[in-house]
Amino acid sequence: MKRILLLIVILVSIVTDLVALQTPTATDIRQAASRNDWPTVERLALGILKKDKTDRTISLLLTMAQLRQGKAAEALASAHRTIALDSSMMQAWLLASESQTQLKQSEDAIATLKEAQQRFPDSLQPTWALGMAYARVGRCAEAIMPLEETMFRRPDVASLTQQLAQCYFATGRIAESVELYARAVERNPSDVNARLSYGEALMAHHDLDSAAYQFTEVIRQNPKMSNAYLALTGVLQELKKSEEALAVSRMLTMISPEDPMGWYNVGLLSLALGQTDTAIRVFKRAIALKPNYAEAYFNIALAYDERGFGEDATMAFKRSASISPLLAPAAYNTIAIMYRKTGRFQEAIAMHAQAIALQDSSAILHASQLNSYYEAQKCDSAKILILQELLRFPNDANILYASACCLIRTGDIDRAMVIAAKLDTLDPSLAEQLRLMIKI
């Protein structure tokens, strides 16, 4: 929409130039352009340029016609010819940049706009287009200055306000983002996309109640906007309103029953509220809709484990791990903990090894492995391992605590006391627990 607006501005200026021409062909082109008949515009313009290759206005209109038909390569060539005819035609530079954008030549498009900005310092259009071009390729930090300059001179353009707000948000300037989104919503209260972004900015600003209101208002205005339900569910969870969050998630499954994320959220919230059987049922629904839903497999595994269905849980964890490399270390580690609880020590250690092989830098995984030695009362077998872990993670509280627990079990109280002293600074509560274990 923002790019279309800029093209319309350029088109108006071109057609205005054509008004001065009184030939029948020029009148035909003007009428064709006014009704968006771009093939006719292209045909007529090519005919004129065969007779007079120096007509810069017709050359510019040909560029526009080709661009509006999706002929970006032809449009770029026409724009370059127009610039060669008259480099003072700002519209030609803008159309050249738009052609490059459509051809996925983002860096070239930005370079063209920067040159246009230098050539036409008094015109707002190149600055505006440059800000939008930066934002389009995710270079929000560079987009902010030209967008700010444009908004200062054109505060009435709603899309510009929202784009700048988005760039503020992306660069961590949350308070400024909130302020601009508030202005956009005040200007157009029925713009649900602006209101949704406003809510997200408020959420990042930790104004959760206001964010919840904005998401609720989006749903009221557009009951089929699934993103608003997901956002409202998230903010209600942060507000510790799990029952309300579950109700919102159920609403989403009713308006969009084919959306697997809606069912997944119902499963998560049901699991958090202790409704394990419901959680299993809706996670299965999410998986039926999205067979490679790794997160759903992971959480249904947690639900199976809670219900005591160990084999089902193991299979679901392994399925999650096979789909998602990111979830695999946690999945194997959780299987190891399950095996630990049921006394299957060797199988637990094998799963720990698999988890650590995938994410060796994780101190949590290494500490979990030490805990399995402790729970199985096999700390004598872990002496070398403890030394290795303490050398590798000398300042990790979980490693220190797990190591000290094993040292206490093997009777090495002096070394455990040294660790407790270190934990006094890193985690006093763990230090206190160690000293209580030593006294016992």
Side-chain angles (χ1 to χ4, degrees):
M1 180 62 71
K2 300 158 191 169
R3 288 157 64 181
I4 290 173
L5 177 61
L6 186 58
L7 289 176
I8 290 172
V9 171
I10 298 171
L11 176 60
V12 169
S13 68
I14 298 172
V15 174
T16 300
D17 290 340
L18 278 172
V19 170
L21 301 177
Q22 299 300 323
T23 66
T25 304
T27 301
D28 292 340
I29 290 181
R30 189 167 62 249
Q31 291 176 348
S34 67
R35 62 176 183 270
N36 294 327
D37 183 357
W38 301 112
T40 297
V41 172
E42 182 182 21
R43 177 175 55 78
L44 293 172
L46 286 170
I48 293 174
L49 290 172
K50 281 184 179 179
K51 298 176 182 178
D52 182 4
K53 295 181 180 181
T54 64
D55 192 324
R56 62 176 197 165
T57 301
I58 295 299
S59 179
L60 192 63
L61 191 57
L62 173 62
T63 306
M64 173 65 80
Q66 291 168 331
L67 195 56
R68 296 302 291 268
Q69 293 178 84
K71 299 178 178 181
E74 293 93 329
L76 181 58
S78 296
H80 283 157
R81 282 195 300 270
T82 306
I83 292 170
L85 286 171
D86 186 352
S87 62
S88 69
M89 296 189 75
M90 181 185 66
Q91 300 96 327
W93 292 89
L94 297 176
L95 290 177
S97 173
E98 178 60 26
S99 301
Q100 289 164 331
T101 296
Q102 291 192 15
L103 290 168
K104 310 298 184 186
Q105 300 170 3
S106 300
E107 292 303 317
D108 290 340
I110 289 171
T112 298
L113 289 172
K114 288 171 75 173
E115 184 168 353
Q117 189 184 36
Q118 292 174 357
R119 285 176 175 268
F120 312 102
D122 296 329
S123 177
L124 185 60
Q125 288 184 35
T127 300
W128 183 353
L130 180 60
M132 292 299 188
Y134 277 133
R136 191 160 49 243
V137 296
R139 293 164 63 175
C140 276
E142 294 166 277
I144 286 174
M145 185 175 292
L147 289 177
E148 284 179 335
E149 181 181 343
T150 306
M151 195 181 76
F152 178 75
R153 295 164 65 180
R154 288 292 306 275
D156 57 307
V157 181
S159 61
L160 181 60
T161 302
Q162 291 181 44
Q163 184 63 74
L164 182 54
Q166 183 180 328
C167 282
Y168 281 148
F169 186 88
T171 54
R173 296 166 65 173
I174 305 301
E176 291 161 288
S177 177
V178 167
E179 182 182 347
L180 284 189
Y181 277 129
R183 191 184 306 176
V185 169
E186 183 180 1
R187 179 184 293 153
N188 186 2
S190 63
D191 186 341
V192 291
N193 290 310
R195 196 178 285 277
L196 182 65
S197 296
Y198 182 29
E200 291 169 349
L202 286 166
M203 198 171 174
H205 202 240
H206 306 294
D207 189 350
L208 300 181
D209 289 316
S210 296
Y213 171 78
Q214 295 302 327
F215 296 141
T216 301
E217 188 63 17
V218 171
I219 292 170
R220 186 189 68 78
Q221 292 185 28
N222 186 352
K224 294 188 178 297
M225 197 164 186
S226 59
N227 284 351
Y229 291 89
L230 297 171
L232 182 55
T233 298
V235 77
L236 289 172
Q237 284 181 276
E238 287 206 35
L239 287 167
K240 310 300 182 186
K241 297 180 178 180
S242 297
E243 294 283 358
E244 292 179 46
L246 180 56
V248 171
S249 290
R250 289 193 180 283
M251 288 170 60
L252 177 56
T253 63
M254 287 187 283
I255 67 149
S256 186
E258 301 306 310
D259 184 349
M261 187 172 286
W263 294 102
Y264 175 71
N265 278 344
V266 172
L268 282 181
L269 290 161
S270 299
L271 189 59
L273 290 168
Q275 302 170 12
T276 312
D277 290 336
T278 299
I280 291 172
R281 186 172 66 254
V282 294
F283 281 138
K284 285 182 177 179
R285 182 70 178 269
I287 290 167
L289 292 167
K290 183 180 176 182
N292 63 341
Y293 207 154
E295 292 81 3
Y297 276 108
F298 190 94
N299 283 281
I300 199 174
L302 293 176
Y304 280 140
D305 182 39
E306 191 168 318
R307 290 284 285 112
F309 303 147
E311 291 304 316
D312 290 330
T314 300
M315 289 177 62
F317 276 129
K318 288 182 176 179
R319 177 62 175 149
S320 174
S322 70
I323 297 170
S324 171
L326 290 176
L327 290 177
Y332 289 124
N333 187 63
T334 311
I335 295 172
I337 293 171
M338 289 168 50
Y339 287 157
R340 173 206 300 168
K341 290 177 181 177
T342 56
R344 298 160 67 177
F345 175 72
Q346 293 300 335
E347 291 168 281
I349 294 302
M351 286 294 104
H352 281 306
Q354 198 158 350
I356 289 170
L358 293 171
Q359 194 176 353
D360 187 46
S361 61
S362 171
I364 292 174
L365 298 180
H366 286 268
S368 182
Q369 181 176 232
L370 289 174
N371 289 333
S372 288
Y373 278 96
Y374 176 80
E375 294 293 338
Q377 299 187 27
K378 294 185 180 293
C379 289
D380 283 329
S381 303
K383 289 181 179 179
I384 295 177
L385 179 62
I386 291 169
L387 179 61
Q388 292 172 341
E389 303 293 27
L390 289 173
L391 287 171
R392 185 166 182 194
F393 304 100
N395 296 308
D396 185 89
N398 291 314
I399 290 289
L400 291 170
Y401 180 77
S403 299
C405 287
C406 262
L407 292 171
I408 292 170
R409 179 150 283 174
T410 61
D412 196 343
I413 305 301
D414 290 341
R415 289 178 67 197
M417 287 297 292
V418 171
I419 290 175
K422 194 168 186 178
L423 283 172
D424 283 332
T425 300
L426 295 172
D427 193 326
S429 64
L430 291 180
E432 184 179 353
Q433 290 180 44
L434 282 181
R435 290 192 173 93
L436 286 174
M437 290 175 64
I438 290 169
K439 288 180 181 179
I440 294 172

